[in-house]
Amino acid sequence: MFEQAGPLNLNKDMDESRQGEVFFQEAPVRDGHQRSFYIESYGCQMNFSDSEIVASILGEVGFQPTREMETADLILVNTCSIREKAEETVRKRLQVFNKQKRQRPDLMIGVLGCMAERLKAKFLEEEKLVDMVVGPDAYRDLPKLLANAEEGEKGVNVFLSREETYADISPLRLDSNGVTAFISIMRGCDNMCSFCVVPYTRGRERSRNAFSIVSEAQDLFDRGYREVTLLGQNVDSYKWENPETKEVVNFAQLLEMTALVHPDLRIRFSTSHPKDITDEVLYTMARYENICNYIHLPVQSGNSRILELMNRTYDREWYMDRVRAIYRIIPDCAISSDIITGFCTETEEEHQESLSMIEFANYSMSYMFAYSERPGTPAAKKYADDVPEEVKKRRLDEVIRLQTQIAYRHNKADIGKTFKVLIEGDSKRSELEFKGRNSQNKMIVFPKKPGLRPGDYVMIRITEATSATLRGKIETGD
Ligand code: 5AD
Ligand code: SF4
């Protein structure tokens, strides 16, 4: 699952009616003052999605989101532990928040997410000004922890659940463009990749009630949204048993159920696991025009020995076979990847196989990282982190350089083609241009035309390409 970082900006559809269960009902206004929270999210899309669940839970106890840290009554940081750098970023942000707290002692600070889970109560010892440490499965406890913090009592809840999916909570969409939204379909991960901290920070895998997912998609569509991304650490192992009928819904079936909400609602999903992605999923994608032709299929390494050490449970051949199946069943599908360079004992030849995999799979883009050892993971326990930092970095540069070339080639091949684009909003650079994505998840920028607005679909002919973006014109039919 790919990462983003930075403040999650708030507001937009704050006053949408919410169906979330009420857990704690307190007076929304205290001493004549509307209380507010400021939240920053780091890490994967799942974390951003979790922040929207947190926002909904806080809304029930009278806290409104604000973009202004300086006036907030509560500052939350939803953290990521995936690499050391992610944790360092959060520590730096905490210094900024702590400065606020020194000026305003009533301010409460909470640390959420994966770092909270990894460090637990130790966090309170290390960061004296933090009031609350709350793991990814404990957000329902936030109102109680908040009430305690207001009484000066610090709190930790890092209980990992086997059941929690927050299925009944209607997320409060933060920083929404009103067109695209995430829907979390499962939580946790049972894969145990040797490099990865996620199984320890997010617990066991569990799938959310399929009907609650479909109804969230329907609700979003009714509110004008036109694209949903179904999120899970490994969506292909989604499996939900209907407690009444005992019927089991798998990921292909869930995809179909969501695609049937409306032909104008686009469906995306992330992340797929090469060992689990089935032909049934691929045929379902091919059958529905509104299921986007884009698969994020992290390879991690192109070499079978390294894949084995990573405990990815597939080898190079298996991965290549899945790629061939994708291009056979969905010829215009785009594939993207995650790649780690310099994993324990990786040789130059093995690194070359990651490079050749980028060529072979013809990735439209990749998220690329130097290996970062994480305490407590199987790799940290079993293998020496023996590839020197500068070698990891050089290999990473090579991977990035090649991926940039391949992405450019991929994008150049689109010049002259026409794509159906969902308008997401103004382009970054100009109010005279819109940006939107095609089915393959490529960002396309094009000049506006009166009458069009975000949420509309428009046919765009591609005229220019860089390695990151396509530019085009509205197809007029002549
Ligand atoms: N070091 C470097 N990259 C990592 N990832 C996960 N754990 C590590 C680690 N210890 C990468 C993987 C994963 C993505 C989300 O982050 O490529 O797919
Ligand atoms: Fe997401 Fe947690 Fe993994 Fe970071 S460590 S990418 S927040 S699951």
Side-chain angles (χ1 to χ4, degrees):
M1 174 161 307
F2 64 79
E3 269 182 285
Q4 304 169 10
L8 182 58
N9 297 320
L10 308 163
N11 271 339
K12 295 287 163 26
D13 49 2
M14 273 167 19
D15 28 61
E16 295 288 348
S17 67
R18 297 189 298 276
Q19 304 149 18
E21 210 178 285
V22 177
F23 307 101
F24 266 75
Q25 195 64 63
E26 276 185 41
V29 178
R30 193 171 253 229
D31 307 328
H33 162 72
Q34 170 70 64
R35 291 185 296 168
S36 66
F37 71 95
Y38 169 90
I39 188 165
E40 286 187 8
S41 305
Y42 294 87
C44 61
Q45 290 158 323
M46 187 68 91
N47 246 19
F48 283 71
S49 170
D50 279 0
S51 291
E52 302 190 327
I53 288 166
V54 166
S56 176
I57 292 171
L58 291 176
E60 296 296 345
V61 289
F63 278 82
Q64 294 294 317
T66 173
R67 285 168 194 273
E68 276 147 45
M69 176 205 319
E70 291 77 12
T71 56
D73 301 277
L74 166 67
I75 295 181
L76 295 172
V77 55
N78 200 349
T79 62
C80 171
S81 286
I82 200 99
R83 280 169 292 276
E84 206 178 333
K85 223 173 98 198
E87 293 202 351
E88 281 163 14
T89 310
V90 166
R91 298 274 187 189
K92 282 203 200 100
R93 290 306 290 160
L94 275 171
Q95 287 172 15
V96 176
F97 303 152
N98 287 345
K99 210 171 133 199
Q100 287 281 318
K101 178 136 180 164
R102 278 186 215 104
Q103 288 159 5
R104 295 190 289 133
D106 282 348
L107 170 66
M108 291 177 288
I109 299 181
V111 176
L112 315 178
C114 290
M115 236 174 126
E117 192 62 50
R118 198 176 81 72
L119 294 163
K120 306 188 168 57
K122 231 165 74 187
F123 220 118
L124 292 182
E125 288 161 32
E126 291 172 16
E127 299 283 347
K128 296 270 182 284
L129 298 180
V130 167
D131 300 286
M132 273 164 288
V133 174
V134 193
D137 285 345
Y139 297 144
R140 287 184 201 265
D141 203 27
L142 268 168
K144 194 178 89 212
L145 292 165
L146 264 172
N148 292 345
E150 280 182 329
E151 302 304 319
E153 193 187 318
K154 295 189 179 219
V156 178
N157 189 341
V158 287
F159 175 73
L160 282 177
S161 157
R162 281 180 173 253
E163 286 94 34
E164 181 63 274
T165 59
Y166 300 113
D168 56 321
I169 295 181
S170 178
L172 178 64
R173 304 290 165 187
L174 298 166
D175 198 22
S176 168
N177 57 12
V179 178
T180 61
F182 296 127
I183 300 181
S184 168
I185 65 164
M186 57 205 294
R187 301 183 69 81
C189 186
D190 283 351
N191 280 331
M192 306 298 279
C193 299
S194 65
F195 51 79
C196 190
V197 78
V198 174
Y200 312 96
T201 61
R202 288 190 167 266
R204 301 301 299 268
E205 187 178 284
R206 61 225 103 115
S207 296
R208 174 178 167 189
N209 179 322
F211 298 119
S212 78
I213 295 168
V214 173
S215 87
E216 190 172 331
Q218 179 71 58
D219 176 56
L220 286 163
F221 183 79
D222 295 342
R223 288 158 53 191
Y225 286 80
R226 289 295 173 264
E227 182 181 296
V228 294
T229 302
L230 308 181
L231 286 183
Q233 301 297 341
N234 175 5
V235 291
D236 301 291
S237 57
Y238 176 87
K239 198 169 156 216
W240 178 74
E241 187 185 283
N242 185 330
E244 274 147 42
T245 63
K246 300 292 169 207
E247 268 174 309
V248 172
V249 178
N250 69 17
F251 183 58
Q253 291 159 333
L254 178 73
L255 264 181
E256 179 160 40
M257 286 162 73
T258 353
L260 288 169
V261 165
H262 198 282
D264 283 340
L265 182 69
R266 270 185 172 179
I267 317 298
R268 296 188 188 279
F269 54 88
S270 188
T271 296
S272 300
H273 196 298
K275 85 169 153 63
D276 294 321
I277 189 165
T278 59
D279 286 357
E280 189 192 359
V281 164
L282 302 180
Y283 283 116
T284 307
M285 290 173 71
R287 216 165 38 244
Y288 290 92
E289 192 268 337
N290 57 330
I291 304 179
C292 289
N293 292 345
Y294 170 67
I295 301 175
H296 184 56
L297 194 72
V299 70
Q300 311 298 0
S301 164
N303 171 264
S304 295
R305 190 186 72 88
I306 294 293
L307 287 170
E308 169 120 40
L309 291 185
M310 288 176 162
N311 195 31
R312 290 288 288 174
T313 66
Y314 56 86
D315 61 11
R316 180 176 171 91
E317 272 315 309
W318 173 278
Y319 186 90
M320 289 167 91
D321 179 68
R322 292 290 75 209
V323 169
R324 284 188 205 102
I326 293 169
Y327 288 140
R328 185 180 73 243
I329 297 168
I330 318 162
D332 66 343
C333 195
I335 307 176
S336 62
S337 193
D338 291 349
I339 299 164
I340 298 177
T341 65
F343 186 67
C344 314
T345 73
E346 186 192 62
T347 65
E348 273 318 308
E349 292 71 39
E350 290 165 342
H351 161 64
Q352 288 298 325
E353 286 201 86
S354 289
L355 293 172
S356 67
M357 185 62 89
I358 298 176
E359 278 276 2
F360 172 81
N362 196 28
Y363 295 129
S364 58
M365 65 123 172
S366 292
Y367 298 95
M368 299 156 280
F369 316 99
Y371 173 58
S372 160
E373 186 178 83
R374 307 310 293 129
T377 55
K381 288 186 190 154
K382 285 194 290 190
Y383 314 126
D385 181 12
D386 56 358
V387 178
E389 260 340 279
E390 63 277 11
V391 175
K392 286 182 189 171
K393 289 275 145 50
R394 194 252 305 143
R395 289 181 190 168
L396 178 62
D397 287 345
E398 288 174 16
V399 164
I400 293 172
R401 202 169 325 126
L402 178 65
Q403 178 59 66
T404 309
Q405 280 169 20
I406 303 285
Y408 182 49
R409 186 180 76 191
H410 205 286
N411 284 350
K412 249 185 359 193
D414 288 336
I415 294 176
K417 290 187 194 164
T418 298
F419 293 104
K420 184 172 169 185
V421 171
L422 173 62
I423 305 177
E424 288 181 18
D426 287 357
S427 89
K428 258 194 217 147
R429 278 207 235 134
S430 164
E431 280 176 19
L432 303 174
E433 291 174 334
F434 274 137
K435 66 171 181 193
R437 286 172 201 272
N438 64 4
S439 175
Q440 290 74 9
N441 205 36
K442 290 189 183 174
M443 189 59 88
I444 301 177
V445 172
F446 56 94
K448 286 184 181 175
K449 201 180 93 178
L452 284 176
R453 53 191 183 92
D456 289 344
Y457 288 99
V458 61
M459 298 306 287
I460 302 291
R461 193 163 47 78
I462 304 304
T463 53
E464 282 172 64
T466 68
S467 63
T469 332
L470 299 173
R471 298 186 73 84
K473 289 197 166 67
I474 296 171
E475 183 74 61
T476 50
D478 46 49

